[in-house]
Amino acid sequence: MRYRGVFTLLFGLFSAPLWAAPAQQSFSDWQVTCNNQNFCVARNTGEHHGLVMTLERSAGARTDATLRIDLGGLDLPAAKEPPIAGRLQLDEQPLTLAGARWQITPWHLITSDSETIARFLQTIQEGQAITLQGSKGTISLVGLKAALLFIDSLQKRVGSETAWIKKGDGPPLSVPPAPALKEVAQANTAPTPLTQAELNDLLDYGNWRMNNSQCSLDPMRRQVRVSALTDDKALLIIDCEAGAYNIVDLAWLVSRQKPFASRPVRLHLPFTPDNGNDEMELMNAVFDEKSGELNTLSKGRGLQDCGVSSRWRFDGQRFRLVRYAQEPACDNWHGPDAWPTLWVTR
């Protein structure tokens, strides 16, 4: 079996760590993502033709989990597409949804019942594929068992009654709880809006910054954006580099009054990703004045079905990570709002 690690960062052996380092790894045709709450999501990737099974499981003694099979993706099924429930096949044999705890709609099958999920996984985990009769839709099961074991191991369920693979006699309470959810404080939720005079002066300063930065983007395409951050600081963003579907930005924290004092914005991740660099580029950066958060989106391709999205909050000194999501599989399944998270806060 082929194992392809996107990145895996496992944190200590404490029973209740302050936080859990994120982990994302692929096992043949299955991808697993676990965030800093040890909340894990697994799904099949690759040539699924819009038929995807997704498993979600929270950390801790409770057996909070959801299994769903969906037909769709970025492209919705045709209106005449028949329901999927009676057309599923496991290795070319009819696959019956045992139990009454399924929510069944034409293109979506969902259950959050732990016994139903366990029975279904036991039925399919040694198979090769779930297919959809009369359709190209395929859920490859190659790598599923390894993905389930990875989740069990990361959540420290192996040997307990709650494990999906390698069950044991360990009671549910032997499973460590999820770490406490971190809070990122916000410096000022309602800063005084920029006056027209402040805005004009800061835009002039931004143009000076833009003309004195080593940026390859055509000057005619560059934009300068200024937003009130606090009552005495503003956020200045300029477009610097451009690719096929991404723009790299530069940003500064700037005093709102002359003489302007500024320092570059640096986005530092609280964990180390697979590239070994915990400093993120500002990619397609947008400051949301309603939420007071800085959003970035690094698109893996123009369809926006893969890449990295993040949200950052200013705490009075620097921007701190609020949310980080990453989808390495470019398979036309979902957009940035649905990418699996590696870091969450409140």
Side-chain angles (χ1 to χ4, degrees):
M1 183 178 293
R2 177 171 58 90
Y3 297 87
R4 176 172 54 84
V6 179
F7 68 83
T8 305
L9 300 162
L10 302 180
F11 183 79
L13 296 174
F14 301 102
S15 59
L18 295 177
W19 60 277
Q24 190 171 65
Q25 187 161 332
S26 291
F27 301 87
S28 298
D29 296 329
W30 277 77
Q31 174 182 288
V32 181
T33 306
C34 299
N35 65 23
N36 58 317
Q37 291 290 289
N38 273 342
F39 175 81
C40 296
V41 180
R43 74 173 180 95
N44 60 295
T45 59
E47 297 295 326
H48 48 66
H49 298 285
L51 187 65
V52 169
M53 184 171 84
T54 305
L55 280 160
E56 298 178 349
R57 193 171 205 186
S58 300
R62 296 181 61 183
T63 55
D64 293 342
T66 300
L67 185 153
R68 58 186 301 142
I69 298 175
D70 300 289
L71 180 64
L74 295 181
D75 301 320
L76 294 176
K80 62 181 180 180
E81 181 74 31
I84 65 175
R87 301 161 57 205
L88 294 177
Q89 295 187 322
L90 174 62
D91 295 339
E92 301 183 352
Q93 298 299 317
L95 176 60
T96 302
L97 302 179
R101 299 297 184 91
W102 288 92
Q103 301 173 42
I104 299 177
T105 57
W107 303 327
H108 308 285
L109 313 174
I110 307 171
T111 181
S112 297
D113 180 68
S114 59
E115 292 185 5
T116 300
I117 293 173
R119 283 199 302 269
F120 187 78
L121 294 177
Q122 186 68 31
T123 298
I124 69 171
Q125 66 185 17
E126 301 295 345
Q128 292 298 304
I130 295 173
T131 53
L132 191 59
Q133 189 176 28
S135 168
K136 293 182 179 179
T138 302
I139 299 171
S140 171
L141 300 177
V142 179
L144 169 63
K145 193 170 182 179
L148 298 177
L149 180 58
F150 181 83
I151 294 174
D152 281 347
S153 298
L154 190 139
Q155 295 182 344
K156 296 181 172 57
R157 297 183 184 278
V158 174
S160 82
E161 297 172 0
T162 68
W164 280 333
I165 307 294
K166 294 186 178 179
K167 285 181 177 292
D169 297 328
L173 288 176
S174 66
V175 179
L181 188 62
K182 283 179 169 288
E183 181 176 7
V184 178
Q186 194 161 9
N188 191 344
T189 56
T192 305
L194 295 170
T195 65
Q196 191 61 49
E198 285 179 314
L199 181 59
N200 291 339
D201 288 342
L202 285 165
L203 286 174
D204 288 341
Y205 178 74
N207 282 313
W208 175 82
R209 271 288 185 190
M210 181 172 64
N211 293 330
N212 288 273
S213 299
Q214 294 182 344
C215 296
S216 65
L217 186 62
D218 186 332
M220 297 298 293
R221 294 180 57 195
R222 297 180 196 173
Q223 292 185 349
V224 178
R225 288 158 285 159
V226 180
S227 303
L229 197 57
T230 66
D231 289 342
D232 61 355
K233 291 184 179 67
L235 176 64
L236 171 67
I237 302 175
I238 66 170
D239 301 337
C240 185
E241 314 282 347
Y245 29 78
N246 288 311
I247 293 178
V248 179
D249 301 295
L250 299 178
W252 290 266
L253 299 175
V254 187
S255 58
R256 289 176 58 162
Q257 301 297 325
K258 293 180 178 179
F260 292 124
S262 66
R263 57 186 174 90
V265 171
R266 307 291 188 196
L267 301 181
H268 289 282
L269 296 171
F271 60 92
T272 304
D274 57 330
N275 62 11
N277 184 5
D278 66 358
E279 184 172 340
M280 281 188 63
E281 283 188 309
L282 278 82
M283 199 81 73
N284 300 309
V286 175
F287 183 72
D288 186 334
E289 295 189 351
K290 290 184 178 179
S291 67
E293 294 178 348
L294 178 63
N295 302 322
T296 73
L297 175 62
S298 176
K299 293 177 277 189
R301 60 181 186 171
L303 288 175
Q304 298 190 44
D305 59 344
C306 55
V308 173
S309 68
S310 67
R311 300 203 326 256
W312 303 76
R313 191 175 296 159
F314 187 67
D315 68 356
Q317 296 297 320
R318 65 185 182 90
F319 282 95
R320 294 185 181 275
L321 184 64
V322 174
R323 183 180 186 274
Y324 183 100
Q326 177 170 287
E327 178 54 83
C330 302
D331 59 358
N332 202 37
W333 179 239
H334 49 198
D337 290 344
W339 291 349
T341 61
L342 289 104
W343 194 270
V344 293
T345 61
R346 57 185 176 91

